[in-house]
Amino acid sequence: MRRFLIFSLLVLASCATTQKSSVKEDSLMITRKYVGTFVDYRQHIPEKFGEPYLIWIKTTMDSTYGKISAYGERCDFHKGDRLYIKRIYLAPGPISSYWQYQIESDDNPVTYKLSEFQHDRKNLIKNWF
């Protein structure tokens, strides 16, 4: 009788804890997004010593995404390369975790880390996913 009572409590407890999440599952699964073919880039030289160099990448989908801000002194993508933004989940320690965004190409092994703030449209990169 005691085993039956414990078993029924476990079944009820496991059924009672299921809740629907407010986050869409599909948005968590997207880790790579097409942002157009490479057209051109422009280098932004830092104004103060110690600030990082930025490159502003222009793609054929410039009307949707604007110029994409990435860290680097020069851009090694070639005209016509298909560019993708890749989202990587990093957990360096047991408590902290975050998403890192980079831009990459199918044909070129070069990747650039994206700045969290996209300067052209003045929005955060995480809003694109």
Side-chain angles (χ1 to χ4, degrees):
M1 179 69 178
R2 189 175 196 161
R3 287 184 185 176
F4 176 73
L5 182 60
I6 292 173
F7 178 73
S8 60
L9 284 175
L10 287 175
V11 169
L12 288 175
S14 67
C15 293
T17 58
T18 59
Q19 295 178 359
K20 288 201 171 202
S21 174
S22 62
V23 179
K24 295 179 183 177
E25 284 187 40
D26 293 338
S27 65
L28 289 175
M29 294 300 168
I30 297 173
T31 58
R32 196 170 186 228
K33 190 174 209 174
Y34 177 71
V35 291
T37 58
F38 178 74
V39 175
D40 197 10
Y41 82 98
R42 189 177 85 198
Q43 181 187 34
H44 173 72
I45 299 172
E47 296 173 3
K48 297 178 185 175
F49 180 75
E51 290 182 349
Y53 281 87
L54 284 176
I55 52 175
W56 293 358
I57 300 170
K58 183 177 181 179
T59 66
T60 54
M61 296 179 73
D62 191 37
S63 60
T64 305
Y65 296 104
K67 291 174 183 55
I68 301 168
S69 303
Y71 296 110
E73 289 189 41
R74 66 176 197 281
C75 184
D76 291 331
F77 292 134
H78 304 292
K79 198 169 197 168
D81 282 352
R82 295 174 53 87
L83 299 181
Y84 298 90
I85 291 179
K86 187 174 184 179
R87 177 169 75 165
I88 303 167
Y89 187 71
L90 298 174
I95 297 173
S96 64
S97 62
Y98 60 94
W99 290 100
Q100 180 177 325
Y101 301 89
Q102 66 185 25
I103 189 163
E104 64 184 13
S105 170
D106 281 337
D107 304 327
N108 200 335
V110 177
T111 61
Y112 296 99
K113 181 180 174 187
L114 296 179
S115 63
E116 188 173 332
F117 182 73
Q118 292 297 301
H119 297 78
D120 188 38
R121 299 286 170 99
K122 297 185 179 9
N123 61 5
L124 296 174
I125 188 73
K126 67 180 178 182
N127 294 337
W128 289 359
F129 280 87

